Amino acid sequence: MEIKLEALFQDKIDQEIKIEPRDWMPEKYRKTLLRQISQHAHSEIVGMLPEGNWITRAPNLRRKVALLAKVQDEAGHGLYLYSAAETLGMSRDEMFEELHSGKAKYSSIFNYPTLTWADMGAIGWLVDGAAIMNQVPLCRTSYGPYARAMVRVCKEESFHQRQGYEIMLTLSKGTEAQKALAQDALNRWWWPSIMMFGPNDDNSPNSAQSMKWKIKRFSNDELRQKFVDVTVAQTEILGLSIPDKDLKWNEERGHYDFGVIDWEEFFQVVAGNGPCNKQRLKARVDAWENGAWVREAATAYAEKRELRTKNQTEAA
Amino acid sequence: MAVNKDILIDYILHLADNSMILGQRNAEWCGHGPVLEQDIALTNITLDLIGEARSLYQYAAELTGGNSTEDTVAFLRDVMQYRNTLLLEQHNTDWAYTITRQFFYDVFHYYLQEALVNSADERIKEIAKKTIKESAYHLKWSSEWMIRLGDGTEISHLKMQNAVNDLWEYTGEFFIPSETEIEMTEIGIAPDLTLLSKKWKSKVEDILTEATLSIPSSDFQQKGGKKGLHSEHLGFILAEMQYLQRAYPGSEW
């Protein structure tokens, strides 16, 4: 029975028919997706923190409003993604518990600090840029609710990316001091950004199965290469330089070659030892715990109101 | 009667600074709210407030002339030149204080717009027409939270009552007219604050009663913000807000 269902399931995937919440699916497919979508949702929520850090210090009113709206969009993305994940059988509160206990992960990039205003440019340009590379193929991922959430997310992300690039452009055309801020931000965000695509393909244990189920459509290394190729040209327009002495055009491959990634750093940050892991998690836990009385009061009030309405109806 | 430009600018700055400083305070919540949906809602309100402040700063900049822009007006004035009331610069403290501060302002802000849509100044009138729609929503949102938390659990009731008691002394300043307001009222640009005060009291009493919260009996009211005598908080707010403009003067961002 199970084998037959699984064959039918794979057949649907192969025919590009979306899997919907009520459809039969292998337990491992459900778990893989739940892990991936909740991790993605957590990344949006934790990702609000490094940028939120600069809202009160934005350099002018136009930038302040744009940054506020951007961070708010991330909260919105978190909402769609938590909703998509909930269709796989876990509540948002349960997902929060997993985040807060450290069981669930989020994108490691958000464990780096935002030290100057230029980081708002670099994050939009590089981090959102890398996220888009990863996310555009997810608009066609095999699980329906995830694919639909990603269509909305991607539209907004590409807007954020342009906004970030425009910050970099303004800085790089500005005073010497501003240009130095832009270069410094690029230096700090470059390597963590290209790490965002995950380990090399020969070291990525879940990739093959995810490709077969069409959760993923391109390998980590393919996406990373695409990102590097696109970003080099954008960096030239800015008049900045990428901090990689091995970066050069490879005529034969038709791609840029780039230096070896420091995977030791990547795995240290994943393991919780990045510069801001503890602060980011603490900020989320604090928000949740300090908000407990608010959520409890809202529930209590809703119950009281329901009871009052019921009593009034009965009295009438 | 001719309008004195400096006094008009001073009045516009009062309107703008109120919303700007509250927006700046609320923005500190972004990413730290008690529920994701409310984080988004408060950010929406913040965006409205800063949006309104921008329209007013642009107007003030035009009247000032020269190289004045919305940003020079917002970022290059010091504490003594800010005209917001003291309530709006108070710390967020927690969700109870934040909601209560928002609610006290929303009631004032809404009735103020209701009057300003008939202002003798065309530009202020136009801005008020847009703002009134937003402030009607803000008032609905904060009123609902006052009721929900006041009439929620024992703990939430206590927290709300404390916030109401502590912030109460900053609510009277809205209705103590500055010299600027007296002049602006005389020529029909600003409304009569006595009338506004009655509407404010009545609305606040209604909502607090529904929220099972008691109205503080203390009559003493702090004042000074409207003429630039602020609490110690504003200096820090501006230090943070203006840091880049001060550290890298004359740069494009």
Side-chain angles (χ1 to χ4, degrees):
Chain A
M1 186 63 185
E2 183 89 343
I3 295 164
K4 202 175 159 193
L5 284 170
E6 191 146 356
L8 276 171
F9 172 82
Q10 188 61 50
D11 195 45
K12 261 171 134 176
I13 301 245
D14 294 341
Q15 290 182 55
E16 301 286 336
I17 297 169
K18 293 273 179 269
I19 305 301
E20 295 300 333
R22 288 170 178 208
D23 296 348
W24 185 90
M25 61 186 84
E27 189 52 20
K28 192 158 177 276
Y29 176 85
R30 194 184 67 81
K31 278 194 174 150
T32 303
L33 270 170
L34 187 56
R35 194 190 68 225
Q36 185 174 328
I37 304 172
S38 64
Q39 200 168 309
H40 190 166
H42 296 327
S43 301
E44 297 284 355
I45 301 309
V46 177
M48 294 170 76
L49 301 169
E51 290 176 291
N53 190 28
W54 278 88
I55 294 170
T56 56
R57 289 180 289 172
N60 62 32
L61 294 172
R62 180 172 75 93
R63 295 289 186 204
K64 189 187 289 287
V65 166
L67 184 60
L68 255 172
K70 184 191 171 188
V71 179
Q72 186 192 36
D73 281 348
E74 282 155 12
H77 297 172
L79 269 186
Y80 320 149
L81 288 162
Y82 283 123
S83 303
E86 281 184 318
T87 64
L88 293 160
M90 190 186 268
S91 71
R92 201 203 297 180
D93 284 8
E94 286 172 302
M95 288 184 255
F96 279 150
E97 268 171 42
E98 291 201 340
L99 172 67
H100 299 157
S101 71
K103 192 181 167 209
K105 300 287 179 209
Y106 54 86
S107 181
S108 277
I109 194 86
F110 301 120
N111 291 316
Y112 290 88
T114 50
L115 302 178
T116 74
W117 169 253
D119 291 14
M120 298 305 100
I123 289 182
W125 171 40
L126 299 172
V127 176
D128 292 330
I132 292 166
M133 286 290 170
N134 264 326
Q135 290 171 358
V136 166
L138 288 174
C139 297
R140 293 187 294 126
T141 196
S142 59
Y143 188 57
Y146 191 24
R148 290 188 287 272
M150 290 316 299
V151 172
R152 292 180 69 176
V153 171
C154 283
K155 273 186 201 154
E156 292 174 351
E157 289 291 356
S158 52
F159 178 70
H160 296 164
Q161 204 247 353
R162 283 201 299 277
Q163 199 170 284
Y165 189 70
E166 201 242 317
I167 291 177
M168 292 302 274
L169 201 58
T170 309
L171 291 174
S172 61
K173 283 181 178 167
T175 62
E176 280 307 306
Q178 286 178 304
K179 197 171 174 184
L181 287 176
Q183 182 62 55
D184 163 72
L186 172 57
N187 292 349
R188 284 181 291 110
W189 291 94
W190 173 254
W191 289 104
S193 296
I194 65 170
M195 288 178 197
M196 280 176 71
F197 297 93
N200 290 124
D201 294 346
D202 51 13
N203 198 13
S204 179
N206 301 319
S207 283
Q209 181 64 73
S210 284
M211 298 274 260
K212 188 175 170 214
W213 279 335
K214 296 190 182 169
I215 295 175
K216 275 178 88 147
R217 299 213 172 229
F218 298 97
S219 79
N220 294 354
D221 286 331
E222 281 173 314
L223 291 168
R224 183 168 14 245
Q225 182 69 60
K226 201 173 160 194
F227 175 73
V228 171
D229 290 347
V230 170
T231 309
V232 172
Q234 295 170 349
T235 312
E236 281 164 7
I237 297 172
L238 295 175
L240 300 176
S241 50
I242 288 173
D244 178 358
K245 61 179 169 40
D246 298 320
L247 186 85
K248 59 171 182 293
W249 178 252
N250 181 325
E251 193 65 56
E252 204 175 309
R253 292 202 308 125
H255 291 293
Y256 280 94
D257 289 337
F258 51 95
V260 180
I261 292 171
D262 180 0
W263 291 112
E264 174 57 21
E265 176 182 325
F266 175 78
F267 288 113
Q268 283 296 343
V269 180
V270 172
N273 298 321
C276 296
N277 292 60
K278 291 184 185 76
Q279 292 88 327
R280 300 292 184 238
L281 204 56
K282 184 177 183 300
R284 285 315 313 159
V285 172
D286 285 351
W288 187 247
E289 287 177 353
N290 295 337
W293 71 271
V294 177
R295 297 189 301 276
E296 280 157 19
T299 311
Y301 178 74
E303 282 166 3
K304 274 189 209 175
R305 237 176 87 149
E306 200 178 327
L307 196 67
R308 277 176 212 156
T309 318
K310 203 179 140 202
N311 290 345
Q312 275 169 6
T313 322
E314 277 170 14
Chain B
M1 192 191 240
V3 182
N4 178 315
K5 197 172 81 172
D6 290 340
I7 297 176
L8 177 60
I9 292 173
D10 195 62
Y11 183 61
I12 297 165
L13 291 178
H14 163 60
L15 298 176
D17 291 345
N18 276 345
S19 287
M20 183 68 227
I21 295 301
L22 181 59
Q24 181 75 4
R25 271 292 190 223
N26 282 346
E28 294 170 22
W29 271 103
C30 189
H32 304 274
V35 197
L36 207 43
E37 285 83 347
Q38 299 312 322
D39 204 304
I40 294 174
L42 188 60
T43 305
N44 264 333
I45 292 171
T46 307
L47 283 167
D48 287 344
L49 292 173
I50 299 178
E52 180 207 355
R54 286 184 74 183
S55 304
L56 291 161
Y57 285 146
Q58 284 159 14
Y59 183 27
E62 285 167 33
L63 291 170
T64 307
N67 295 326
S68 196
T69 66
E70 58 170 4
D71 292 320
T72 62
V73 176
F75 292 84
L76 301 179
R77 277 180 305 139
D78 207 346
V79 172
M80 298 300 280
Q81 292 146 346
Y82 259 74
R83 294 287 177 260
N84 60 286
T85 68
L86 301 176
L87 174 74
L88 305 162
E89 64 201 43
Q90 299 305 307
H91 277 296
N92 288 344
T93 313
D94 64 8
W95 191 250
Y97 277 76
T98 300
I99 292 292
T100 305
R101 183 184 62 196
Q102 185 69 40
F103 170 68
F104 286 157
Y105 182 61
D106 289 342
V107 180
F108 167 73
H109 195 221
Y110 175 75
Y111 289 124
L112 177 65
Q113 304 312 311
E114 202 183 60
L116 289 179
V117 296
N118 296 312
S119 171
D121 184 282
E122 277 305 314
R123 188 77 168 266
I124 291 178
K125 189 171 165 174
E126 287 312 308
I127 295 170
K129 278 186 190 164
K130 180 168 180 287
T131 305
I132 193 167
K133 293 179 202 146
E134 297 165 352
S135 62
Y137 162 76
H138 304 168
L139 178 57
K140 182 172 181 287
W141 182 83
S142 61
S143 300
E144 284 170 3
W145 273 104
M146 290 302 289
I147 296 165
R148 193 176 287 132
L149 295 176
D151 191 18
T153 60
E154 250 177 74
I155 294 173
S156 72
H157 178 83
L158 192 67
K159 281 178 182 283
M160 292 305 284
Q161 189 65 60
N162 284 339
V164 168
N165 294 350
D166 280 354
L167 293 175
W168 190 254
E169 66 176 359
Y170 297 110
T171 57
E173 189 184 0
F174 289 134
F175 311 108
I176 305 169
S178 62
E179 282 171 27
T180 293
E181 283 171 309
I182 292 169
E183 287 209 28
M184 289 292 113
T185 305
E186 273 172 18
I187 55 173
I189 290 180
D192 176 359
L193 291 176
T194 326
L195 225 69
L196 222 66
S197 167
K198 283 184 188 138
K199 288 186 179 179
W200 186 89
K201 278 205 179 96
S202 152
K203 178 73 177 175
V204 167
E205 279 174 15
D206 284 354
I207 298 294
L208 290 187
T209 306
E210 199 180 339
T212 71
L213 294 165
S214 47
I215 293 139
S217 50
S218 153
D219 280 337
F220 184 77
Q221 294 295 331
Q222 300 288 348
K223 60 177 194 290
K226 287 180 185 180
K227 53 176 183 177
L229 293 171
H230 290 276
S231 65
E232 288 179 343
H233 308 310
L234 188 64
F236 289 96
I237 294 175
L238 296 184
E240 202 169 316
M241 184 171 124
Q242 300 179 341
Y243 137 69
L244 283 166
Q245 291 276 351
R246 303 288 189 180
Y248 302 88
S251 305
E252 290 290 319
W253 297 97

